[in-house]
């Protein structure tokens, strides 16, 4: 999946990527980070989103990748390129 997304991004510099059933996948942090014209959306069950947001919030290495992160209470995280 990482290589497929990387190939896609080599051709499409302005795009949106939607990851359905993202779970605890790190695709954004591996393949998409540092691409300001790419918006990455993760969709999953509410309890999975809450747990992943908590992990990102409490892991400085992950949190530092996000540009201007904001938090919707304790449940969700969003930034200019990640939601």
């Amino acid at each position: 999946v990482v290589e497929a997304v990387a190939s896609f991004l080599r051709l499409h510099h302005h795009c949106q990527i939607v990851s359905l059933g993202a779970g605890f996948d790190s695709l954004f942090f591996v393949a998409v980070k540092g691409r300001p014209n790419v918006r990455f959306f993760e969709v999953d069950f509410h309890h999975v989103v809450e747990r992943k947001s908590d992990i990102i919030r409490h892991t400085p290495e992950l949190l530092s990748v996000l540009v201007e992160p904001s938090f919707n209470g304790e449940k969700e995280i969003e930034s200019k390129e990640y939601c």
Side-chain angles (χ1 to χ4, degrees), residues 30-81:
V30 173
V32 182
K33 72 177 182 180
R35 297 175 185 268
N37 297 315
V38 176
R39 183 87 163 136
F40 192 84
F41 297 88
E42 292 188 330
V43 179
D44 211 316
F45 292 111
H46 190 68
H47 67 278
V48 175
V49 171
E50 286 180 13
R51 181 68 182 121
K52 187 169 185 178
S53 294
D54 188 57
I55 291 169
I56 294 169
R57 178 187 315 229
H58 293 98
T59 306
E61 296 85 1
L62 298 177
L63 189 59
S64 68
V65 170
L66 302 178
V67 177
E68 299 178 21
S70 63
F71 304 95
N72 180 4
E74 293 292 318
K75 312 233 183 256
E76 297 174 5
I77 188 168
E78 182 176 345
S79 72
K80 287 186 174 186
E81 70 280 90

